[in-house]
Amino acid sequence: MNRYVNSSDDHFDIIFAGGGAAACVTAGRLAQADPNLKILILEAGPLTKDMPNHVQPARYFQNLANPGETFTLHKGKPSPALAGREVIVPSARCLGGGSSVNFAMYTRAAASDYDDWEKVHQNPGWGSKHLIPLLKKAETYQADGDPETHGKSGPIKVSYASDANVASQFLEVAGKYDEGRKLTEDVNGFFTCNAYGRWPRYIDANTGRRSDTPHNYIYKYTDSENTGLTVRERRRVVRIIFENSYAVGVEHVSDNNPRDESTRNPEPSVSYASRLIIVSAGAFGSPAILERSGIGGADVLKRNRIEQIVDLPGVGEHYMDHNLIFSPYFASEDANTLDAVFRGNKAQVESFATRWTQDGQGLMAQNGLDAGIKIRPNMKDLDEIGPEFKAKWTDYFEHALDKPVMWLGTFSAYAGNHPAAPWGKYFSATYYTEYPVSTGRVHISAGLDPHGKLDFEPGYLNHPADLAVLRWAYKRGRELARRMDIYRGEFVLGHPSFPNGSEAATSDFARPVEISAPDVSYSAEDDKAIDEYHRKTVETTWHSIGTCAMKPREKGGVVDPRLNVYGVQNLKVADCSIAPANVGANTYSTALAIGEKAAVIIAEDLGIKGVSSE
């Protein structure tokens, strides 16, 4: 039965405006609980069902390097903090959102992150004691794990890669060099951090497939004649339709080729919902839909000639991300890297795909992120980081022992795009800030045009504390890298431009140093070079959140703890845009938590039985 259709105006019980990771979780749970519910998901992008580019995990890198129709690209305004750059931040444009295109890196937030959501930001029911059971419900952890924090029967599969020498050498060096920190069997236990360990992935250990939300929550229902769940692909939501203050419908247009204006079909359709509408289009899409619907700040709506329905100046504000760097190192020929998959010719890549098709194994079943640490600075580190970070440390980190300052680990490949990078094997010291001080904003700029460019300020590195911790992380990653047996020097063009004669100068050929070797010495001028390097190279971590924050209205909030949009009825938001504060993790896990929690809330509100809170 073909449930992926486009039709004229029609009627449903529940409509999802956007089909991202959280939407798929919520819609799937509701369809499972009540097969008679008529549920519609409107997704701007295509389906990815059984498509090799999406279900084969290692394909993600080329998808990101050469973004096609499954991405929307958002260009930020030029920023002095980024050496005048206009950074590009992609967001997923396909069913399942980021879960269908991301690095498949399994990283969970600190328990205190969710406790902050509940206590600091006044959202009862959103603490770690409420969300951890839902995250357990969502997963099948295909390794030994604490049953108090890991699930064994959920739809999303989590596994470890087979041993690779990039990861194993990183952990061996870390265990010997960094005597103040330990190794752990579980880097994602919620309540602790600051220990090195192997890193899991959202990849099924048995099949080698990416574990995304549409394949695990949606397709089994849309492929069945026994449910009322329908997905309409390539339909971009324009706005929500209201009768008085009650949301009754969703206006949407064709989105077959959003980058080609000549192929756009401006003729809108309206689909009506009798029971509920949920906006779930992500940190860029959700605030844009609300603003085009007349919900937002007066100044933004006035500039776009849109009549205001509700004055909510928090819409589109408080944009958050993490700040990411890949520092590249040459690797020995015996290193187990993914360069042949990421940068190889078609024949090479297809050989790995053939192996994956046969047994779900090999390089195509990898993501290259196999070891790392959620790291906190000690007193010596804090002195090195400097005074710019002191206030943030004291106010936010010092007494929250589960909150890391940085993620630091290995990436088994070259991640850059410099044309001078020679063919060969690489590994990267990879790091990102877990809770940047700097925030941004995103608003519409083209009135009701759903394809119009967004007015986007990422805000990266606007606060000096964010530069200070990146500087520390670069040095920490370099010390670990140059002690690994596979280390063969730096790809110099991917590192800071240190002054002539600097003791910190990089080299495109070098051998590993002993564990006991002295650390590289950096001068004040060297530190300036590192800061300039970060201004010129820091990029998105694809972790955009926070633009429809779940906070009290008077504090810039957009939705209440039941996900209701302030000032209207019958309208909720359920995706990572509701995050009232950042999380120290990749955001897929939080999207799963929000999706599962939204299903519980909606079932309670609508009297739907069969959606459990654990």
Side-chain angles (χ1 to χ4, degrees):
M1 182 178 181
N2 181 13
R3 303 299 294 275
Y4 311 112
V5 295
N6 289 309
S7 67
S8 59
D9 297 353
D10 45 10
H11 297 262
F12 295 85
D13 296 314
I14 299 170
I15 297 176
F16 287 84
C24 289
V25 173
T26 307
R29 291 298 189 192
L30 295 175
Q32 178 185 34
D34 185 353
N36 294 316
L37 277 174
K38 290 189 66 179
I39 301 171
L40 172 64
I41 299 175
L42 294 166
E43 168 52 46
L47 307 178
T48 59
K49 186 180 180 186
D50 296 328
M51 292 175 59
N53 271 3
H54 296 278
V55 298
Q56 294 177 0
R59 299 268 191 184
Y60 77 89
F61 187 82
Q62 275 303 315
N63 291 342
L64 285 167
N66 301 289
E69 68 168 347
T70 53
F71 291 93
T72 300
L73 305 180
H74 309 281
K75 180 186 285 189
K77 291 182 175 180
S79 169
L82 301 175
R85 288 189 298 139
E86 301 171 301
V87 297
I88 304 295
V89 179
S91 62
R93 179 184 167 273
C94 56
L95 190 66
S99 77
S100 298
V101 298
N102 63 18
F103 282 53
M105 182 178 172
Y106 176 82
T107 311
R108 303 197 293 183
S112 66
D113 292 346
Y114 299 134
D115 292 337
D116 289 347
W117 287 19
E118 180 175 42
K119 298 172 184 175
V120 176
H121 301 289
Q122 302 174 45
N123 293 300
W126 285 87
S128 62
K129 67 181 179 182
H130 307 99
L131 297 188
I132 289 174
L134 292 172
L135 285 165
K136 288 174 57 181
K137 176 184 176 182
E139 76 177 18
T140 293
Y141 194 71
Q142 298 173 314
D144 292 334
D146 184 347
E148 294 298 314
T149 58
H150 290 291
K152 284 295 184 182
S153 59
I156 300 297
K157 309 301 189 296
V158 180
S159 68
Y160 287 99
S162 56
D163 289 338
N165 56 8
V166 177
S168 62
Q169 287 187 25
F170 175 82
L171 295 177
E172 181 181 358
V173 168
K176 296 176 180 178
Y177 169 77
D178 192 354
E179 295 179 353
R181 298 177 179 89
K182 299 179 180 179
L183 302 180
T184 180
E185 292 298 316
D186 187 359
V187 290
N188 282 291
F190 284 118
F191 300 101
T192 61
C193 66
N194 214 31
Y196 296 88
R198 296 174 65 201
W199 219 268
R201 320 87 45 81
Y202 287 106
I203 297 172
D204 190 325
N206 299 317
T207 66
R209 290 173 65 104
R210 168 189 292 276
S211 198
D212 60 19
T213 57
H215 283 91
N216 292 284
Y217 284 89
I218 294 297
Y219 293 135
K220 59 186 173 183
Y221 299 116
T222 54
D223 289 345
S224 170
E225 296 185 4
N226 297 320
T227 69
L229 177 58
T230 300
V231 176
R232 292 192 182 149
E233 61 176 320
R234 305 178 193 276
R235 301 298 298 178
R236 183 169 290 269
V237 172
V238 179
R239 57 182 171 175
I240 309 301
I241 303 300
F242 292 92
E243 290 183 0
N244 298 318
S245 62
Y246 196 88
V248 297
V250 181
E251 180 182 320
H252 48 98
V253 296
S254 172
D255 202 19
N256 284 324
N257 190 351
R259 298 180 192 173
D260 183 354
E261 295 185 17
S262 65
T263 66
R264 293 178 187 169
N265 179 4
E267 290 300 318
S269 297
V270 177
S271 299
Y272 293 94
S274 61
R275 303 184 73 180
L276 186 64
I277 296 171
I278 304 106
V279 177
S280 191
F284 292 98
S286 290
I289 289 171
L290 293 182
E291 288 178 340
R292 289 195 296 268
S293 305
I295 300 172
D299 291 345
V300 173
L301 299 184
K302 184 177 180 180
R303 286 197 303 271
N304 285 275
R305 299 181 180 181
I306 293 174
E307 181 180 355
Q308 188 177 57
I309 294 175
V310 182
D311 183 21
L312 279 184
V315 173
E317 293 293 307
H318 204 52
Y319 171 87
M320 295 177 288
D321 196 350
H322 300 129
N323 305 144
L324 175 67
I325 291 286
F326 294 96
S327 295
Y329 297 88
F330 292 115
S332 58
E333 281 301 312
D334 63 337
N336 305 134
T337 77
L338 271 68
D339 293 290
V341 180
F342 293 168
R343 304 176 71 204
N345 60 40
K346 184 175 181 180
Q348 288 176 306
V349 174
E350 288 308 313
S351 69
F352 299 119
T354 299
R355 165 71 192 279
W356 182 92
T357 302
Q358 292 170 348
D359 60 10
Q361 303 301 312
L363 291 184
M364 196 59 79
Q366 310 300 320
N367 70 346
L369 290 154
D370 300 320
I373 182 173
K374 298 176 181 179
I375 192 167
R376 289 169 59 86
N378 56 33
M379 293 306 296
K380 179 182 176 183
D381 296 327
L382 288 170
D383 288 341
E384 178 185 334
I385 292 170
E388 302 96 334
F389 182 63
K390 183 176 181 180
K392 181 68 172 179
W393 172 261
T394 302
D395 294 343
Y396 192 73
F397 290 102
E398 184 173 13
H399 301 294
L401 301 182
D402 59 347
K403 288 189 191 297
V405 171
M406 303 290 300
W407 187 88
L408 171 65
T410 56
F411 182 60
S412 301
Y414 174 59
N417 59 2
H418 200 292
W423 171 255
K425 291 192 174 185
Y426 295 78
F427 70 99
S428 301
T430 306
Y431 49 99
Y432 68 77
T433 43
E434 298 277 18
Y435 308 90
V437 181
S438 308
T439 60
R441 59 198 53 80
V442 59
H443 298 288
I444 60 171
S445 68
L448 289 176
D449 181 0
H451 300 99
K453 178 184 176 182
L454 295 175
D455 181 11
F456 176 39
E457 296 180 35
Y460 301 162
L461 306 188
N462 282 346
H463 195 286
D466 297 335
L467 266 180
V469 294
L470 286 171
R471 186 190 318 128
W472 167 65
Y474 171 80
K475 296 175 183 179
R476 170 71 50 173
R478 188 178 178 189
E479 294 301 341
L480 294 167
R482 70 194 194 100
R483 287 167 168 79
M484 294 166 60
D485 287 345
I486 61 171
Y487 167 83
R488 292 296 182 270
E490 293 91 2
F491 174 49
V492 173
L493 295 176
H495 284 260
S497 298
F498 294 111
N500 290 334
S502 168
E503 293 182 28
T506 52
S507 172
D508 57 10
F509 179 77
R511 304 292 295 188
V513 301
E514 297 293 331
I515 296 292
S516 60
D519 289 353
V520 175
S521 177
Y522 296 90
S523 68
E525 291 302 309
D526 294 330
D527 283 351
K528 290 180 182 179
I530 296 173
D531 290 349
E532 186 67 10
Y533 163 71
H534 286 134
R535 292 190 190 280
K536 291 181 176 179
T537 58
V538 77
E539 56 187 311
T540 179
T541 317
W542 304 279
H543 297 167
S544 301
I545 63 173
T547 51
C548 296
M550 182 173 59
K551 296 179 180 178
R553 185 172 182 175
E554 65 274 14
K555 294 184 178 180
V558 177
V559 300
D560 68 17
R562 303 293 294 182
L563 304 178
N564 299 305
V565 177
Y566 290 118
V568 294
Q569 297 173 280
N570 204 44
L571 182 65
K572 295 181 186 287
V573 179
D575 57 32
C576 283
S577 72
I578 70 161
N582 218 328
V583 293
N586 299 54
T587 47
Y588 182 17
S589 176
T590 294
L592 292 172
I594 291 169
E596 294 281 8
K597 181 68 174 179
V600 172
I601 289 172
I602 292 167
E604 291 172 349
D605 287 357
L606 301 184
I608 300 167
K609 305 298 183 183
V611 179
S612 68
S613 57
E614 58 183 23

